[in-house]
């Protein structure tokens, strides 16, 4: 997975490659999907949601430029996989999921994989986690129709937000950096994520 899907597609941050090598993706999917755990694809995790493609997890993590001490928010916990990779890369990880059954399963997955210091929350992640803000970095694993303003507002100065922005059918991964002149936005790869549903996302 690391050589064929990540290095071959230009992921160069060695800390990200090492983190992706350490986190056992098979512990974040269930049943028959375990046999496909290292496929180059998103996989179903129930409730109409998916665990992201490994390449997109790596792209998001690389865009955040983490060095180990950061406070990070992960929006759209899903299986908990991206939160586990972030836990390898940063100091403190908070994750938020709107579907409570998925949050419960993610708690089990993260514990089984040894990442029980990830703090799991339930609710509308488009509103961020004001009581834990500000964050050095925010990773959004679902597609937003535009820049979620409340997430941007919870970044520290020079903080980084990675978010897929576009329509339900396809998006571009955006890296948004907080600056005194407002958001500096870099657009990167095209992608296809499940919708971010909530106040700062798509309607229910
Ligand atoms: N990072 C996950 C990817 C899960 S897919 C993983 O590695 O497995 C995206 C997730 O975002 C879904 O579980 C979906 O329920 C969740 N989601 C969508 N809108 C949300 C919102 N407003 N707040 C929190 N989670 C949301």
């Amino acid at each position: 997975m690391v050589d064929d899907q990540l290095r071959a597609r230009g992921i160069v941050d060695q800390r990200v490659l090492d983190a992706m090598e350490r986190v056992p993706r098979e512990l974040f999917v269930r049943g028959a999907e375990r046999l496909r755990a290292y496929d180059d694809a998103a996989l179903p995790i129930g409730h109409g949601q998916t665990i992201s493609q490994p390449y997109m997890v790596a792209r998001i993590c690389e865009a955040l430029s983490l060095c180990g001490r950061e406070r990070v928010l992960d929006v759209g916990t899903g299986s908990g996989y991206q939160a586990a990779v972030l836990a390898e890369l940063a100091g403190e990880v908070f994750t938020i999921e709107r579907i409570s059954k998925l949050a419960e399963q993610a708690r089990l997955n993260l514990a089984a994989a040894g990442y029980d210091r990830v703090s799991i929350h339930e609710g509308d992640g488009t509103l961020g986690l004001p009581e834990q803000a500000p964050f050095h970095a925010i990773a959004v694993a679902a597609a937003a129709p535009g820049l979620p303003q409340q997430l941007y507002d919870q970044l520290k100065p020079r903080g980084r937000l990675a978010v897929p922005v576009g329509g339900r059918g396809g998006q571009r991964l955006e890296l948004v950096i907080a600056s005194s002149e407002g958001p500096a936005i870099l657009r990167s790869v095209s992608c296809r994520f499940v919708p971010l549903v909530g106040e700062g996302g798509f309607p229910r």
Side-chain angles (χ1 to χ4, degrees), residues 28 43 45-47 49-52 74-83 95-110 120-121 141-142 194:
F28 294 86
L43 300 172
I45 55 171
H47 306 273
Q49 309 302 323
T50 54
I51 177 174
S52 308
D74 171 56
V75 176
T77 314
S79 66
Y81 179 69
Q82 168 119 44
T95 184
I96 181 162
E97 170 57 54
R98 63 182 283 267
I99 299 175
S100 60
K101 287 259 165 56
L102 287 178
E104 269 169 45
Q105 184 62 48
R107 195 180 300 282
L108 298 174
N109 296 346
L110 284 162
I120 304 166
H121 300 255
V194 296

PDB file of all heavy atoms in Angstrom, residues 28 43 45-47 49-52 74-83 95-110 120-121 141-142 194:
ATOM      1  N   PHE A  28     -10.068  -1.374  11.092  1.00  0.00           N
ATOM      2  CA  PHE A  28     -11.049  -0.297  10.961  1.00  0.00           C
ATOM      3  C   PHE A  28     -12.164  -0.644   9.979  1.00  0.00           C
ATOM      4  O   PHE A  28     -13.016   0.195   9.693  1.00  0.00           O
ATOM      5  CB  PHE A  28     -10.334   1.010  10.578  1.00  0.00           C
ATOM      6  CG  PHE A  28      -9.428   1.497  11.684  1.00  0.00           C
ATOM      7  CD1 PHE A  28      -8.123   1.025  11.793  1.00  0.00           C
ATOM      8  CD2 PHE A  28      -9.899   2.372  12.649  1.00  0.00           C
ATOM      9  CE1 PHE A  28      -7.295   1.446  12.833  1.00  0.00           C
ATOM     10  CE2 PHE A  28      -9.088   2.788  13.696  1.00  0.00           C
ATOM     11  CZ  PHE A  28      -7.784   2.322  13.787  1.00  0.00           C
ATOM     12  N   LEU A  43     -13.875   1.986   1.329  1.00  0.00           N
ATOM     13  CA  LEU A  43     -14.642   0.749   1.568  1.00  0.00           C
ATOM     14  C   LEU A  43     -15.850   1.070   2.445  1.00  0.00           C
ATOM     15  O   LEU A  43     -15.775   1.963   3.301  1.00  0.00           O
ATOM     16  CB  LEU A  43     -13.762  -0.280   2.300  1.00  0.00           C
ATOM     17  CG  LEU A  43     -12.485  -0.741   1.599  1.00  0.00           C
ATOM     18  CD1 LEU A  43     -11.650  -1.599   2.546  1.00  0.00           C
ATOM     19  CD2 LEU A  43     -12.804  -1.508   0.331  1.00  0.00           C
ATOM     20  N   ILE A  45     -18.476   1.164   5.425  1.00  0.00           N
ATOM     21  CA  ILE A  45     -18.407   0.931   6.878  1.00  0.00           C
ATOM     22  C   ILE A  45     -19.806   0.953   7.500  1.00  0.00           C
ATOM     23  O   ILE A  45     -19.955   1.037   8.715  1.00  0.00           O
ATOM     24  CB  ILE A  45     -17.494   1.963   7.596  1.00  0.00           C
ATOM     25  CG1 ILE A  45     -17.935   3.412   7.277  1.00  0.00           C
ATOM     26  CG2 ILE A  45     -16.038   1.753   7.213  1.00  0.00           C
ATOM     27  CD1 ILE A  45     -17.234   4.474   8.122  1.00  0.00           C
ATOM     28  N   GLY A  46     -20.847   0.887   6.641  1.00  0.00           N
ATOM     29  CA  GLY A  46     -22.221   0.912   7.152  1.00  0.00           C
ATOM     30  C   GLY A  46     -22.774   2.331   7.185  1.00  0.00           C
ATOM     31  O   GLY A  46     -22.028   3.306   7.050  1.00  0.00           O
ATOM     32  N   HIS A  47     -24.117   2.427   7.320  1.00  0.00           N
ATOM     33  CA  HIS A  47     -24.806   3.718   7.401  1.00  0.00           C
ATOM     34  C   HIS A  47     -24.533   4.595   6.177  1.00  0.00           C
ATOM     35  O   HIS A  47     -24.545   5.829   6.275  1.00  0.00           O
ATOM     36  CB  HIS A  47     -24.435   4.460   8.697  1.00  0.00           C
ATOM     37  CG  HIS A  47     -24.661   3.622   9.921  1.00  0.00           C
ATOM     38  ND1 HIS A  47     -25.872   3.568  10.570  1.00  0.00           N
ATOM     39  CD2 HIS A  47     -23.842   2.755  10.564  1.00  0.00           C
ATOM     40  CE1 HIS A  47     -25.790   2.716  11.575  1.00  0.00           C
ATOM     41  NE2 HIS A  47     -24.566   2.202  11.589  1.00  0.00           N
ATOM     42  N   GLN A  49     -21.789   5.135   4.681  1.00  0.00           N
ATOM     43  CA  GLN A  49     -20.516   5.864   4.778  1.00  0.00           C
ATOM     44  C   GLN A  49     -19.348   4.958   4.402  1.00  0.00           C
ATOM     45  O   GLN A  49     -19.516   3.746   4.249  1.00  0.00           O
ATOM     46  CB  GLN A  49     -20.341   6.429   6.195  1.00  0.00           C
ATOM     47  CG  GLN A  49     -21.530   7.224   6.702  1.00  0.00           C
ATOM     48  CD  GLN A  49     -21.878   8.401   5.809  1.00  0.00           C
ATOM     49  OE1 GLN A  49     -21.001   9.066   5.253  1.00  0.00           O
ATOM     50  NE2 GLN A  49     -23.176   8.658   5.627  1.00  0.00           N
ATOM     51  N   THR A  50     -18.167   5.561   4.244  1.00  0.00           N
ATOM     52  CA  THR A  50     -16.990   4.786   3.823  1.00  0.00           C
ATOM     53  C   THR A  50     -15.760   5.170   4.637  1.00  0.00           C
ATOM     54  O   THR A  50     -15.659   6.294   5.135  1.00  0.00           O
ATOM     55  CB  THR A  50     -16.660   5.053   2.334  1.00  0.00           C
ATOM     56  OG1 THR A  50     -16.526   6.466   2.127  1.00  0.00           O
ATOM     57  CG2 THR A  50     -17.738   4.508   1.407  1.00  0.00           C
ATOM     58  N   ILE A  51     -14.829   4.231   4.749  1.00  0.00           N
ATOM     59  CA  ILE A  51     -13.478   4.547   5.222  1.00  0.00           C
ATOM     60  C   ILE A  51     -12.765   5.098   3.987  1.00  0.00           C
ATOM     61  O   ILE A  51     -12.880   4.535   2.898  1.00  0.00           O
ATOM     62  CB  ILE A  51     -12.772   3.296   5.796  1.00  0.00           C
ATOM     63  CG1 ILE A  51     -11.329   3.605   6.234  1.00  0.00           C
ATOM     64  CG2 ILE A  51     -12.760   2.131   4.826  1.00  0.00           C
ATOM     65  CD1 ILE A  51     -10.633   2.408   6.958  1.00  0.00           C
ATOM     66  N   SER A  52     -12.065   6.218   4.134  1.00  0.00           N
ATOM     67  CA  SER A  52     -11.470   6.878   2.964  1.00  0.00           C
ATOM     68  C   SER A  52     -10.386   6.011   2.324  1.00  0.00           C
ATOM     69  O   SER A  52      -9.763   5.173   2.982  1.00  0.00           O
ATOM     70  CB  SER A  52     -10.847   8.214   3.369  1.00  0.00           C
ATOM     71  OG  SER A  52     -11.761   9.007   4.082  1.00  0.00           O
ATOM     72  N   ASP A  74     -10.304  16.213  13.797  1.00  0.00           N
ATOM     73  CA  ASP A  74     -10.636  15.353  12.659  1.00  0.00           C
ATOM     74  C   ASP A  74     -12.165  15.366  12.537  1.00  0.00           C
ATOM     75  O   ASP A  74     -12.856  14.922  13.445  1.00  0.00           O
ATOM     76  CB  ASP A  74     -10.103  13.948  12.982  1.00  0.00           C
ATOM     77  CG  ASP A  74     -10.548  12.880  12.004  1.00  0.00           C
ATOM     78  OD1 ASP A  74     -10.301  13.036  10.810  1.00  0.00           O
ATOM     79  OD2 ASP A  74     -11.119  11.863  12.464  1.00  0.00           O
ATOM     80  N   VAL A  75     -12.686  15.886  11.438  1.00  0.00           N
ATOM     81  CA  VAL A  75     -14.144  15.983  11.264  1.00  0.00           C
ATOM     82  C   VAL A  75     -14.618  14.842  10.364  1.00  0.00           C
ATOM     83  O   VAL A  75     -14.150  14.697   9.235  1.00  0.00           O
ATOM     84  CB  VAL A  75     -14.535  17.351  10.656  1.00  0.00           C
ATOM     85  CG1 VAL A  75     -16.038  17.413  10.393  1.00  0.00           C
ATOM     86  CG2 VAL A  75     -14.103  18.484  11.574  1.00  0.00           C
ATOM     87  N   GLY A  76     -15.580  14.030  10.878  1.00  0.00           N
ATOM     88  CA  GLY A  76     -16.060  12.858  10.138  1.00  0.00           C
ATOM     89  C   GLY A  76     -15.263  11.633  10.541  1.00  0.00           C
ATOM     90  O   GLY A  76     -14.506  11.078   9.755  1.00  0.00           O
ATOM     91  N   THR A  77     -15.453  11.203  11.791  1.00  0.00           N
ATOM     92  CA  THR A  77     -14.667  10.084  12.348  1.00  0.00           C
ATOM     93  C   THR A  77     -14.798   8.825  11.512  1.00  0.00           C
ATOM     94  O   THR A  77     -13.796   8.128  11.286  1.00  0.00           O
ATOM     95  CB  THR A  77     -15.167   9.752  13.779  1.00  0.00           C
ATOM     96  OG1 THR A  77     -15.310  10.955  14.512  1.00  0.00           O
ATOM     97  CG2 THR A  77     -14.229   8.791  14.487  1.00  0.00           C
ATOM     98  N   GLY A  78     -16.028   8.507  11.079  1.00  0.00           N
ATOM     99  CA  GLY A  78     -16.260   7.279  10.309  1.00  0.00           C
ATOM    100  C   GLY A  78     -15.755   6.068  11.073  1.00  0.00           C
ATOM    101  O   GLY A  78     -16.169   5.802  12.198  1.00  0.00           O
ATOM    102  N   SER A  79     -14.792   5.364  10.500  1.00  0.00           N
ATOM    103  CA  SER A  79     -14.222   4.173  11.129  1.00  0.00           C
ATOM    104  C   SER A  79     -13.204   4.520  12.216  1.00  0.00           C
ATOM    105  O   SER A  79     -12.821   3.669  13.013  1.00  0.00           O
ATOM    106  CB  SER A  79     -13.491   3.350  10.064  1.00  0.00           C
ATOM    107  OG  SER A  79     -12.365   4.090   9.591  1.00  0.00           O
ATOM    108  N   GLY A  80     -12.702   5.764  12.194  1.00  0.00           N
ATOM    109  CA  GLY A  80     -11.634   6.146  13.126  1.00  0.00           C
ATOM    110  C   GLY A  80     -10.236   6.022  12.517  1.00  0.00           C
ATOM    111  O   GLY A  80      -9.238   6.389  13.149  1.00  0.00           O
ATOM    112  N   TYR A  81     -10.162   5.545  11.272  1.00  0.00           N
ATOM    113  CA  TYR A  81      -8.842   5.293  10.656  1.00  0.00           C
ATOM    114  C   TYR A  81      -8.014   6.570  10.513  1.00  0.00           C
ATOM    115  O   TYR A  81      -6.853   6.616  10.929  1.00  0.00           O
ATOM    116  CB  TYR A  81      -9.036   4.615   9.293  1.00  0.00           C
ATOM    117  CG  TYR A  81      -7.737   4.344   8.568  1.00  0.00           C
ATOM    118  CD1 TYR A  81      -6.839   3.391   9.038  1.00  0.00           C
ATOM    119  CD2 TYR A  81      -7.395   5.047   7.415  1.00  0.00           C
ATOM    120  CE1 TYR A  81      -5.642   3.141   8.368  1.00  0.00           C
ATOM    121  CE2 TYR A  81      -6.212   4.801   6.742  1.00  0.00           C
ATOM    122  CZ  TYR A  81      -5.330   3.855   7.226  1.00  0.00           C
ATOM    123  OH  TYR A  81      -4.146   3.618   6.566  1.00  0.00           O
ATOM    124  N   GLN A  82      -8.618   7.610   9.943  1.00  0.00           N
ATOM    125  CA  GLN A  82      -7.858   8.853   9.768  1.00  0.00           C
ATOM    126  C   GLN A  82      -7.427   9.421  11.124  1.00  0.00           C
ATOM    127  O   GLN A  82      -6.313   9.932  11.261  1.00  0.00           O
ATOM    128  CB  GLN A  82      -8.700   9.876   9.003  1.00  0.00           C
ATOM    129  CG  GLN A  82      -8.128  11.284   9.022  1.00  0.00           C
ATOM    130  CD  GLN A  82      -7.796  11.840   7.650  1.00  0.00           C
ATOM    131  OE1 GLN A  82      -8.562  11.703   6.700  1.00  0.00           O
ATOM    132  NE2 GLN A  82      -6.661  12.465   7.541  1.00  0.00           N
ATOM    133  N   ALA A  83      -8.288   9.293  12.127  1.00  0.00           N
ATOM    134  CA  ALA A  83      -7.934   9.779  13.472  1.00  0.00           C
ATOM    135  C   ALA A  83      -6.712   9.031  14.002  1.00  0.00           C
ATOM    136  O   ALA A  83      -5.835   9.617  14.652  1.00  0.00           O
ATOM    137  CB  ALA A  83      -9.124   9.616  14.420  1.00  0.00           C
ATOM    138  N   THR A  95     -11.834  13.998  17.561  1.00  0.00           N
ATOM    139  CA  THR A  95     -12.545  13.630  16.348  1.00  0.00           C
ATOM    140  C   THR A  95     -14.035  13.722  16.595  1.00  0.00           C
ATOM    141  O   THR A  95     -14.503  13.484  17.721  1.00  0.00           O
ATOM    142  CB  THR A  95     -12.099  12.225  15.851  1.00  0.00           C
ATOM    143  OG1 THR A  95     -12.751  11.932  14.614  1.00  0.00           O
ATOM    144  CG2 THR A  95     -12.401  11.124  16.847  1.00  0.00           C
ATOM    145  N   ILE A  96     -14.791  14.116  15.565  1.00  0.00           N
ATOM    146  CA  ILE A  96     -16.235  14.293  15.734  1.00  0.00           C
ATOM    147  C   ILE A  96     -16.997  13.641  14.587  1.00  0.00           C
ATOM    148  O   ILE A  96     -16.616  13.760  13.432  1.00  0.00           O
ATOM    149  CB  ILE A  96     -16.595  15.793  15.927  1.00  0.00           C
ATOM    150  CG1 ILE A  96     -18.105  15.970  16.118  1.00  0.00           C
ATOM    151  CG2 ILE A  96     -16.082  16.671  14.787  1.00  0.00           C
ATOM    152  CD1 ILE A  96     -18.495  17.293  16.736  1.00  0.00           C
ATOM    153  N   GLU A  97     -18.087  12.919  14.973  1.00  0.00           N
ATOM    154  CA  GLU A  97     -18.897  12.162  14.011  1.00  0.00           C
ATOM    155  C   GLU A  97     -20.369  12.444  14.303  1.00  0.00           C
ATOM    156  O   GLU A  97     -20.785  12.495  15.448  1.00  0.00           O
ATOM    157  CB  GLU A  97     -18.589  10.662  14.171  1.00  0.00           C
ATOM    158  CG  GLU A  97     -19.485   9.695  13.427  1.00  0.00           C
ATOM    159  CD  GLU A  97     -19.557   9.916  11.908  1.00  0.00           C
ATOM    160  OE1 GLU A  97     -18.500   9.957  11.262  1.00  0.00           O
ATOM    161  OE2 GLU A  97     -20.671  10.056  11.397  1.00  0.00           O
ATOM    162  N   ARG A  98     -21.181  12.595  13.229  1.00  0.00           N
ATOM    163  CA  ARG A  98     -22.604  12.906  13.443  1.00  0.00           C
ATOM    164  C   ARG A  98     -23.455  11.666  13.656  1.00  0.00           C
ATOM    165  O   ARG A  98     -24.526  11.747  14.237  1.00  0.00           O
ATOM    166  CB  ARG A  98     -23.166  13.756  12.294  1.00  0.00           C
ATOM    167  CG  ARG A  98     -23.165  13.081  10.948  1.00  0.00           C
ATOM    168  CD  ARG A  98     -23.698  14.027   9.878  1.00  0.00           C
ATOM    169  NE  ARG A  98     -25.142  14.149   9.933  1.00  0.00           N
ATOM    170  CZ  ARG A  98     -25.986  13.389   9.214  1.00  0.00           C
ATOM    171  NH1 ARG A  98     -25.521  12.447   8.412  1.00  0.00           N
ATOM    172  NH2 ARG A  98     -27.276  13.572   9.311  1.00  0.00           N
ATOM    173  N   ILE A  99     -23.007  10.495  13.167  1.00  0.00           N
ATOM    174  CA  ILE A  99     -23.821   9.277  13.299  1.00  0.00           C
ATOM    175  C   ILE A  99     -23.332   8.502  14.536  1.00  0.00           C
ATOM    176  O   ILE A  99     -22.201   8.007  14.570  1.00  0.00           O
ATOM    177  CB  ILE A  99     -23.707   8.409  12.023  1.00  0.00           C
ATOM    178  CG1 ILE A  99     -24.216   9.203  10.806  1.00  0.00           C
ATOM    179  CG2 ILE A  99     -24.459   7.093  12.170  1.00  0.00           C
ATOM    180  CD1 ILE A  99     -24.041   8.515   9.458  1.00  0.00           C
ATOM    181  N   SER A 100     -24.210   8.420  15.553  1.00  0.00           N
ATOM    182  CA  SER A 100     -23.712   7.909  16.838  1.00  0.00           C
ATOM    183  C   SER A 100     -23.257   6.445  16.758  1.00  0.00           C
ATOM    184  O   SER A 100     -22.280   6.072  17.405  1.00  0.00           O
ATOM    185  CB  SER A 100     -24.733   8.122  17.942  1.00  0.00           C
ATOM    186  OG  SER A 100     -25.911   7.459  17.623  1.00  0.00           O
ATOM    187  N   LYS A 101     -23.919   5.625  15.936  1.00  0.00           N
ATOM    188  CA  LYS A 101     -23.488   4.223  15.796  1.00  0.00           C
ATOM    189  C   LYS A 101     -22.047   4.136  15.258  1.00  0.00           C
ATOM    190  O   LYS A 101     -21.281   3.259  15.653  1.00  0.00           O
ATOM    191  CB  LYS A 101     -24.426   3.467  14.841  1.00  0.00           C
ATOM    192  CG  LYS A 101     -25.788   3.172  15.448  1.00  0.00           C
ATOM    193  CD  LYS A 101     -25.837   1.715  15.908  1.00  0.00           C
ATOM    194  CE  LYS A 101     -26.980   1.399  16.846  1.00  0.00           C
ATOM    195  NZ  LYS A 101     -28.303   1.734  16.304  1.00  0.00           N
ATOM    196  N   LEU A 102     -21.715   5.032  14.333  1.00  0.00           N
ATOM    197  CA  LEU A 102     -20.353   5.027  13.787  1.00  0.00           C
ATOM    198  C   LEU A 102     -19.356   5.508  14.840  1.00  0.00           C
ATOM    199  O   LEU A 102     -18.255   4.965  14.955  1.00  0.00           O
ATOM    200  CB  LEU A 102     -20.261   5.893  12.527  1.00  0.00           C
ATOM    201  CG  LEU A 102     -20.904   5.318  11.264  1.00  0.00           C
ATOM    202  CD1 LEU A 102     -20.785   6.309  10.107  1.00  0.00           C
ATOM    203  CD2 LEU A 102     -20.273   3.984  10.875  1.00  0.00           C
ATOM    204  N   ALA A 103     -19.743   6.505  15.618  1.00  0.00           N
ATOM    205  CA  ALA A 103     -18.854   6.991  16.680  1.00  0.00           C
ATOM    206  C   ALA A 103     -18.567   5.864  17.682  1.00  0.00           C
ATOM    207  O   ALA A 103     -17.423   5.675  18.108  1.00  0.00           O
ATOM    208  CB  ALA A 103     -19.477   8.198  17.374  1.00  0.00           C
ATOM    209  N   GLU A 104     -19.617   5.080  18.008  1.00  0.00           N
ATOM    210  CA  GLU A 104     -19.446   3.940  18.940  1.00  0.00           C
ATOM    211  C   GLU A 104     -18.485   2.904  18.371  1.00  0.00           C
ATOM    212  O   GLU A 104     -17.600   2.406  19.058  1.00  0.00           O
ATOM    213  CB  GLU A 104     -20.785   3.212  19.123  1.00  0.00           C
ATOM    214  CG  GLU A 104     -21.635   3.690  20.255  1.00  0.00           C
ATOM    215  CD  GLU A 104     -23.036   3.075  20.148  1.00  0.00           C
ATOM    216  OE1 GLU A 104     -23.162   1.868  19.891  1.00  0.00           O
ATOM    217  OE2 GLU A 104     -24.002   3.852  20.303  1.00  0.00           O
ATOM    218  N   GLN A 105     -18.695   2.562  17.075  1.00  0.00           N
ATOM    219  CA  GLN A 105     -17.826   1.562  16.449  1.00  0.00           C
ATOM    220  C   GLN A 105     -16.387   2.088  16.349  1.00  0.00           C
ATOM    221  O   GLN A 105     -15.427   1.340  16.571  1.00  0.00           O
ATOM    222  CB  GLN A 105     -18.369   1.186  15.052  1.00  0.00           C
ATOM    223  CG  GLN A 105     -17.591   0.083  14.349  1.00  0.00           C
ATOM    224  CD  GLN A 105     -17.603  -1.252  15.097  1.00  0.00           C
ATOM    225  OE1 GLN A 105     -18.640  -1.724  15.528  1.00  0.00           O
ATOM    226  NE2 GLN A 105     -16.415  -1.834  15.282  1.00  0.00           N
ATOM    227  N   ALA A 106     -16.241   3.378  16.052  1.00  0.00           N
ATOM    228  CA  ALA A 106     -14.904   3.973  15.945  1.00  0.00           C
ATOM    229  C   ALA A 106     -14.179   3.885  17.290  1.00  0.00           C
ATOM    230  O   ALA A 106     -12.968   3.638  17.342  1.00  0.00           O
ATOM    231  CB  ALA A 106     -14.999   5.421  15.484  1.00  0.00           C
ATOM    232  N   ARG A 107     -14.945   4.057  18.371  1.00  0.00           N
ATOM    233  CA  ARG A 107     -14.340   3.966  19.703  1.00  0.00           C
ATOM    234  C   ARG A 107     -13.749   2.568  19.912  1.00  0.00           C
ATOM    235  O   ARG A 107     -12.626   2.413  20.400  1.00  0.00           O
ATOM    236  CB  ARG A 107     -15.401   4.267  20.777  1.00  0.00           C
ATOM    237  CG  ARG A 107     -14.860   4.558  22.148  1.00  0.00           C
ATOM    238  CD  ARG A 107     -15.989   4.853  23.137  1.00  0.00           C
ATOM    239  NE  ARG A 107     -16.807   6.010  22.773  1.00  0.00           N
ATOM    240  CZ  ARG A 107     -16.446   7.268  22.947  1.00  0.00           C
ATOM    241  NH1 ARG A 107     -15.292   7.555  23.495  1.00  0.00           N
ATOM    242  NH2 ARG A 107     -17.243   8.253  22.574  1.00  0.00           N
ATOM    243  N   LEU A 108     -14.504   1.536  19.491  1.00  0.00           N
ATOM    244  CA  LEU A 108     -14.022   0.159  19.614  1.00  0.00           C
ATOM    245  C   LEU A 108     -12.802  -0.066  18.718  1.00  0.00           C
ATOM    246  O   LEU A 108     -11.809  -0.676  19.126  1.00  0.00           O
ATOM    247  CB  LEU A 108     -15.129  -0.841  19.233  1.00  0.00           C
ATOM    248  CG  LEU A 108     -16.396  -0.817  20.090  1.00  0.00           C
ATOM    249  CD1 LEU A 108     -17.457  -1.761  19.510  1.00  0.00           C
ATOM    250  CD2 LEU A 108     -16.070  -1.205  21.535  1.00  0.00           C
ATOM    251  N   ASN A 109     -12.894   0.432  17.472  1.00  0.00           N
ATOM    252  CA  ASN A 109     -11.788   0.249  16.525  1.00  0.00           C
ATOM    253  C   ASN A 109     -10.506   0.901  17.048  1.00  0.00           C
ATOM    254  O   ASN A 109      -9.426   0.294  17.001  1.00  0.00           O
ATOM    255  CB  ASN A 109     -12.125   0.875  15.165  1.00  0.00           C
ATOM    256  CG  ASN A 109     -13.298   0.213  14.466  1.00  0.00           C
ATOM    257  OD1 ASN A 109     -13.719  -0.877  14.839  1.00  0.00           O
ATOM    258  ND2 ASN A 109     -13.828   0.869  13.440  1.00  0.00           N
ATOM    259  N   LEU A 110     -10.643   2.138  17.527  1.00  0.00           N
ATOM    260  CA  LEU A 110      -9.461   2.872  17.993  1.00  0.00           C
ATOM    261  C   LEU A 110      -8.854   2.200  19.221  1.00  0.00           C
ATOM    262  O   LEU A 110      -7.630   2.104  19.345  1.00  0.00           O
ATOM    263  CB  LEU A 110      -9.826   4.333  18.286  1.00  0.00           C
ATOM    264  CG  LEU A 110     -10.008   5.200  17.031  1.00  0.00           C
ATOM    265  CD1 LEU A 110     -10.777   6.481  17.336  1.00  0.00           C
ATOM    266  CD2 LEU A 110      -8.649   5.560  16.410  1.00  0.00           C
ATOM    267  N   ILE A 120     -13.101  11.168  21.257  1.00  0.00           N
ATOM    268  CA  ILE A 120     -14.193  11.002  20.277  1.00  0.00           C
ATOM    269  C   ILE A 120     -15.436  11.770  20.724  1.00  0.00           C
ATOM    270  O   ILE A 120     -15.866  11.636  21.875  1.00  0.00           O
ATOM    271  CB  ILE A 120     -14.526   9.503  20.113  1.00  0.00           C
ATOM    272  CG1 ILE A 120     -13.255   8.738  19.718  1.00  0.00           C
ATOM    273  CG2 ILE A 120     -15.628   9.284  19.082  1.00  0.00           C
ATOM    274  CD1 ILE A 120     -13.375   7.229  19.845  1.00  0.00           C
ATOM    275  N   HIS A 121     -15.999  12.559  19.806  1.00  0.00           N
ATOM    276  CA  HIS A 121     -17.184  13.362  20.117  1.00  0.00           C
ATOM    277  C   HIS A 121     -18.282  13.081  19.094  1.00  0.00           C
ATOM    278  O   HIS A 121     -17.987  12.706  17.964  1.00  0.00           O
ATOM    279  CB  HIS A 121     -16.832  14.854  20.087  1.00  0.00           C
ATOM    280  CG  HIS A 121     -15.772  15.211  21.075  1.00  0.00           C
ATOM    281  ND1 HIS A 121     -16.040  15.873  22.246  1.00  0.00           N
ATOM    282  CD2 HIS A 121     -14.448  14.932  21.085  1.00  0.00           C
ATOM    283  CE1 HIS A 121     -14.919  15.999  22.935  1.00  0.00           C
ATOM    284  NE2 HIS A 121     -13.930  15.448  22.252  1.00  0.00           N
ATOM    285  N   ALA A 141     -13.004  14.895   6.423  1.00  0.00           N
ATOM    286  CA  ALA A 141     -13.032  13.709   5.559  1.00  0.00           C
ATOM    287  C   ALA A 141     -14.371  13.564   4.859  1.00  0.00           C
ATOM    288  O   ALA A 141     -14.790  12.455   4.545  1.00  0.00           O
ATOM    289  CB  ALA A 141     -12.730  12.464   6.386  1.00  0.00           C
ATOM    290  N   ALA A 142     -15.067  14.688   4.629  1.00  0.00           N
ATOM    291  CA  ALA A 142     -16.346  14.655   3.915  1.00  0.00           C
ATOM    292  C   ALA A 142     -16.425  15.928   3.079  1.00  0.00           C
ATOM    293  O   ALA A 142     -15.790  16.937   3.408  1.00  0.00           O
ATOM    294  CB  ALA A 142     -17.507  14.559   4.905  1.00  0.00           C
ATOM    295  N   VAL A 194     -17.907  11.371   0.620  1.00  0.00           N
ATOM    296  CA  VAL A 194     -19.320  11.419   1.009  1.00  0.00           C
ATOM    297  C   VAL A 194     -19.600  12.843   1.518  1.00  0.00           C
ATOM    298  O   VAL A 194     -18.694  13.537   1.963  1.00  0.00           O
ATOM    299  CB  VAL A 194     -19.667  10.375   2.118  1.00  0.00           C
ATOM    300  CG1 VAL A 194     -19.467   8.957   1.611  1.00  0.00           C
ATOM    301  CG2 VAL A 194     -18.859  10.607   3.382  1.00  0.00           C
TER     302      VAL A 194
END
